Amino acid sequence: LYRVTIDSVRTLQRTISAIPSLETLRLSLVDWRKTDSGVPQTPQPFDSPLRLGILEVQCHGRWLRDTRTAQFFEWLALSGVGSSLRSVILTHAMILKNALLTAVETLLEACKESVETLALGFGPDVDFVRCKCQSVPALDVSLTDHWQSNI
């Protein structure tokens, strides 16, 4: 999905679940539609038989700050959709809110048995990454040039 505005987490859940053979989900410059009340609605649980192999998200600040993004990552983990991910690629992911950090950790924990590649492209203002996924097997991990020059 490229440069689209999505109404709700439920809309995104239903859209990707409607394609049961979907192997790769790429979200690039996706945005959430503003809600009438200004407060995002809490999505209802939604199970899906879909099992993704690759998740690639090109993030931006407004999308990351919206609570629906954390809800979407949590759904990927808890519904099983993200349990078979082999590749997780998050670029420009300046994770500044604890809810989003927890959601990403939950997703990584859910796919720890299958993930082979983890690419994190955090912005220059992020000084550290915390991950509780200590039982994840060996990974290919790539970081942005900014991080590589400061390691």
Side-chain angles (χ1 to χ4, degrees), residues 37-53:
S37 65
V39 178
Q41 303 296 316
T42 303
Q44 298 298 317
F46 181 84
D47 291 328
S48 174
L50 177 67
R51 297 297 179 259
L52 292 173

Side-chain angles (χ1 to χ4, degrees), residues 1-4 6 12 15-16 25-30:
L1 298 173
Y2 177 72
R3 289 190 185 270
V4 296
I6 300 169
L12 186 53
T15 300
I16 65 174
L25 177 62
R26 286 188 179 95
L27 301 174
S28 182
L29 303 175
V30 172

Side-chain angles (χ1 to χ4, degrees), residues 17-112:
S17 294
I19 311 168
S21 62
L22 185 66
E23 168 71 16
T24 300
L25 177 62
R26 286 188 179 95
L27 301 174
S28 182
L29 303 175
V30 172
D31 210 351
W32 296 110
R33 184 173 315 281
K34 292 183 181 178
T35 60
D36 293 336
S37 65
V39 178
Q41 303 296 316
T42 303
Q44 298 298 317
F46 181 84
D47 291 328
S48 174
L50 177 67
R51 297 297 179 259
L52 292 173
I54 299 169
L55 175 65
E56 184 175 343
V57 181
Q58 181 184 2
C59 309
H60 62 84
R62 186 173 57 242
W63 191 75
L64 288 167
R65 287 187 298 271
D66 194 300
T67 58
R68 290 172 286 189
T69 301
Q71 293 167 352
F72 174 66
F73 280 124
E74 286 174 2
W75 172 75
L76 287 174
L78 301 176
S79 67
V81 172
S83 63
S84 59
L85 283 169
R86 295 180 315 279
S87 181
V88 178
I89 302 164
L90 304 175
T91 57
H92 309 294
M94 292 189 283
I95 299 175
L96 303 174
K97 291 188 170 195
N98 284 336
L100 184 56
L101 180 61
T102 300
V104 171
E105 287 176 342
T106 302
L107 178 59
L108 294 177
E109 184 67 29
C111 67
K112 69 182 179 187

